[in-house]
Amino acid sequence: MSLDLIGAMSIIRIDEIEYETDLLTEEAKAQLLSVQHTDQKIAELQRDLAIAQTARASYANALRELLGHGVEGSAHPAAGLQVRH
C-alpha cells in the first residue's frame, strides 16, 4: 500500500486512488492516523539505526587502532598488548 498526502491533509492517495479526508469514516481516519504514526516511528527508528551503525563503525575503528590494525592494516599489536594464537 502506498500512501501519499496531497495538500494540507485534505486529500490522500492510497494505491493511486485519491480520497478526501473529510469524507472518510471515523474508523478510516483512525487507521490513517495509525499509518502516519507508524511511518513516523519507522523514520525515527531508521535515524536511530544510522546513528548506532555510525557509532559501531567508530568503536570498531578505535579497537583496530588499539590492537595495532590501523588503517594500514598492520598486524603488529600496540605496545603493551599481547596476542594469543
Side-chain angles (χ1 to χ4, degrees):
M1 173 174 104
S2 123
L3 184 141
D4 300 315
L5 299 178
I6 301 170
M9 184 72 180
S10 59
I11 297 176
I12 59 167
R13 182 181 300 132
I14 301 174
D15 297 332
E16 302 303 320
I17 301 171
E18 292 183 358
Y19 300 90
E20 290 186 40
T21 57
D22 293 343
L23 302 178
L24 296 176
T25 66
E26 291 304 312
E27 185 178 6
K29 288 178 184 177
Q31 291 298 322
L32 176 59
L33 287 175
S34 293
V35 169
Q36 291 172 323
H37 176 74
T38 304
D39 285 345
Q40 290 173 351
K41 186 64 175 179
I42 289 169
E44 177 186 336
L45 291 169
Q46 288 172 330
R47 285 188 299 272
D48 289 347
L49 178 58
I51 291 167
Q53 288 172 327
T54 300
R56 185 194 184 285
S58 179
Y59 297 141
N61 286 336
L63 179 59
R64 281 186 201 93
E65 293 285 329
L66 289 172
L67 297 175
H69 296 279
V71 178
E72 302 83 34
S74 171
H76 302 291
L81 294 179
Q82 295 180 354
V83 177
R84 293 186 182 175
H85 294 280

